[in-house]
Amino acid sequence: MTAFWIAAGLLTAFALAIICWPLLRQRHTASTSRKALNTAIYRDQMAELDRDLVSGTVSRDDHAIAREELERRVLEDVADDGATPSAARRLPRTALALGITLPAAAVALYFVLGNPAAMDPTAQKGVAPTAAEVEKMVGTLAEKLEQNPDNLQGWVMLGRSYKVMGRFDEAARAFEKAGSAMESEPELMLEVAELSAEQNQGKVEGKGLILLKQVLKDQPDNPQALVLAGTDAYFRQNYPDAARYWERVLAQVPPDSEDARNLTAGLEKIRSLMGQGQPAAKPAPKADTTAQPEARATGATSVSGRVSLAPALKGQAGPDDTVYIFARPADGPRMPLAVLRVKVSDLPKDFSLDDSMAMRPDLKISSAATLRIEARVSKTGDAIAKPGDLSGELTPVKPGATKLQLVIDKVVQ
């Protein structure tokens, strides 16, 4: 605001200087003397009479009479010619009046025709519209789109507005009318996925799930997509997948950020729900420190084999039931070192568990001396064992073991 007034003042002063300078300097109105003018005229007329006399146009008598008349008029004009140069004049009062009235008029016109509020810093920051104003704006946009339904970007804007306002069903309809525009960029694809999660208690369903998977395929490290995928897995009680997604996001954010604290809290809750209860901030105890160097020295970072369901239990498992395959330390905490998730319809299934599936960077297959390999059929899809689930295990197993035969042959009591 100060800069504006300084600039306006300088420009006004410059304009006044141009206007008032001629009024303040001395002005000489040295009008040409009538005597000089008349003398020149009479001299020309006298010369003209002489030429007429020589050429015979006028007689000597007429010439004499005309010459006397001219001389008489010259004498009369000389007697009347008292013209002198006018005294030097200035117009300071006029300049002063302009110096006062011009700036005053300019300021008055600005306040009448301009926008004085724009110079108020608080006005520049803007005032948040009220809820009623937002409703009115959104309603106006909706009316315009009904008249112009082919405006896909308008439907995108309307859907986002409804989503922010918590009107999720209306947002879904707007996104649906936006059609292909919602698939034009990952940000919009994730908008659909987020909306689906809002509508389905955290689970991403339908088109939202398809678009989320597409983003994860194209951008596997997209933080927003990983958070959404982890949230979806969490609300489906697929805690191992939720932990893996959130761990990948945690590795991307600053350790001391709010996001890191929220993700760490979420991961600790997952581990608690899985029956581990190990704080993320504390390193897990090592299973056998004397055996670790040997395991790592052999490059033992994985185990593999085949899991199958005992024929006697096949009637107790549905084809869509979830099967979890875990690798845990044989001794020490029960935190899974690697997890694989399949379905009963996939059995028998060749599996491989390795360090890339670790839920924590400090807890891997290569960090344990011996392992317990477990498989469990979850009737509810929950990663935590419940009565009625089917299970089987192999222990102890050395890291690097292959061709394991794991049979699910027990009912969890």
Side-chain angles (χ1 to χ4, degrees):
M1 180 175 68
T2 302
F4 170 81
W5 284 118
I6 291 174
L10 290 174
L11 289 173
T12 303
F14 181 70
L16 286 173
I18 294 174
I19 295 172
C20 295
W21 172 246
L23 302 176
L24 293 174
R25 70 184 179 90
Q26 287 188 342
R27 301 171 65 243
H28 296 280
T29 58
S31 60
T32 304
S33 171
R34 286 176 56 195
K35 179 180 178 180
L37 288 173
N38 290 341
T39 300
I41 293 171
Y42 293 145
R43 186 183 298 114
D44 288 342
Q45 291 177 346
M46 195 71 72
E48 182 68 23
L49 280 174
D50 293 340
R51 284 194 295 272
D52 290 342
L53 177 63
V54 173
S55 64
T57 306
V58 296
S59 64
R60 287 186 177 276
D61 294 337
D62 292 338
H63 175 269
I65 294 171
R67 186 179 181 87
E68 290 177 359
E69 178 64 22
L70 280 174
E71 290 174 351
R72 183 183 61 78
R73 286 167 55 189
V74 168
L75 292 174
E76 289 178 354
D77 286 343
V78 169
D80 292 339
D81 186 12
T84 58
S86 62
R89 293 188 301 161
R90 292 188 298 173
L91 301 174
R93 293 182 180 180
T94 303
L96 180 61
L98 283 174
I100 295 174
T101 58
L102 186 61
V107 171
L109 284 173
Y110 178 75
F111 277 94
V112 173
L113 303 176
N115 184 19
M119 296 187 295
D120 186 354
T122 58
Q124 292 176 355
K125 294 179 181 177
V127 179
T130 64
E133 290 172 335
V134 172
E135 288 279 356
K136 183 178 179 180
M137 288 187 289
V138 172
T140 301
L141 176 60
E143 291 175 2
K144 290 182 178 179
L145 289 173
E146 291 297 336
Q147 299 171 2
N148 184 21
D150 294 331
N151 184 353
L152 302 187
Q153 292 302 320
W155 287 113
V156 171
M157 185 182 299
L158 182 63
R160 282 176 157 176
S161 301
Y162 282 143
K163 182 168 169 279
V164 171
M165 296 166 67
R167 295 160 63 173
F168 301 130
D169 291 341
E170 292 168 285
R173 288 193 290 272
F175 283 161
E176 185 177 352
K177 290 184 178 181
S180 59
M182 299 307 300
E183 302 178 31
S184 60
E185 53 186 287
E187 182 183 356
L188 295 178
M189 296 165 73
L190 294 177
E191 289 266 12
V192 179
E194 285 182 350
L195 180 60
S196 178
E198 293 283 2
Q199 290 180 297
N200 297 285
Q201 292 76 48
K203 298 177 183 178
V204 183
E205 304 283 6
K207 185 64 174 291
L209 182 58
I210 295 173
L211 295 179
L212 175 59
K213 289 181 178 179
Q214 183 63 46
V215 174
L216 286 172
K217 180 181 177 181
D218 297 338
Q219 300 179 357
D221 292 324
N222 185 304
Q224 186 181 359
L226 290 171
V227 169
L228 265 176
T231 302
D232 173 70
Y234 176 85
F235 282 100
R236 295 180 190 277
Q237 298 184 331
N238 181 3
Y239 300 128
D241 282 357
R244 277 202 300 273
Y245 286 127
W246 288 352
E247 285 279 5
R248 288 167 61 184
V249 182
L250 185 60
Q252 299 182 43
V253 300
D256 57 346
S257 65
E258 185 67 24
D259 289 336
R261 288 190 287 271
N262 291 337
L263 286 166
T264 300
L267 288 166
E268 291 193 353
K269 184 174 182 180
I270 287 176
R271 290 161 190 153
S272 176
L273 290 171
M274 292 176 68
Q276 313 313 318
Q278 295 294 323
K282 297 180 181 179
K286 299 177 182 178
D288 187 345
T289 56
T290 59
Q292 270 188 302
E294 180 181 354
R296 290 180 179 173
T298 60
T301 61
S302 65
V303 293
S304 61
R306 188 176 182 84
V307 62
S308 60
L309 180 62
L313 298 180
K314 286 185 177 180
Q316 300 185 41
D320 292 330
D321 289 347
T322 301
V323 180
Y324 291 102
I325 306 171
F326 301 90
R328 305 179 189 270
D331 301 302
R334 287 181 53 80
M335 182 69 174
L337 305 178
V339 183
L340 181 64
R341 184 171 178 257
V342 297
K343 290 186 176 296
V344 169
S345 58
D346 297 326
L347 302 179
K349 172 74 173 177
D350 293 327
F351 70 90
S352 178
L353 303 173
D354 57 47
D355 281 355
S356 67
M357 300 177 179
M359 297 177 62
R360 282 175 52 176
D362 57 336
L363 290 177
K364 302 179 180 179
I365 288 177
S366 59
S367 68
T370 56
L371 304 167
R372 180 168 57 251
I373 309 301
E374 304 175 21
R376 181 168 53 81
V377 176
S378 173
K379 307 296 292 183
T380 62
D382 196 337
I384 301 174
K386 291 182 172 56
D389 288 353
L390 311 177
S391 69
E393 67 177 45
L394 292 174
T395 189
V397 175
K398 289 285 187 180
T402 60
K403 298 181 180 180
L404 298 173
Q405 294 297 321
L406 177 57
V407 180
I408 301 173
D409 56 1
K410 299 175 184 176
V411 178
V412 177
Q413 303 297 324

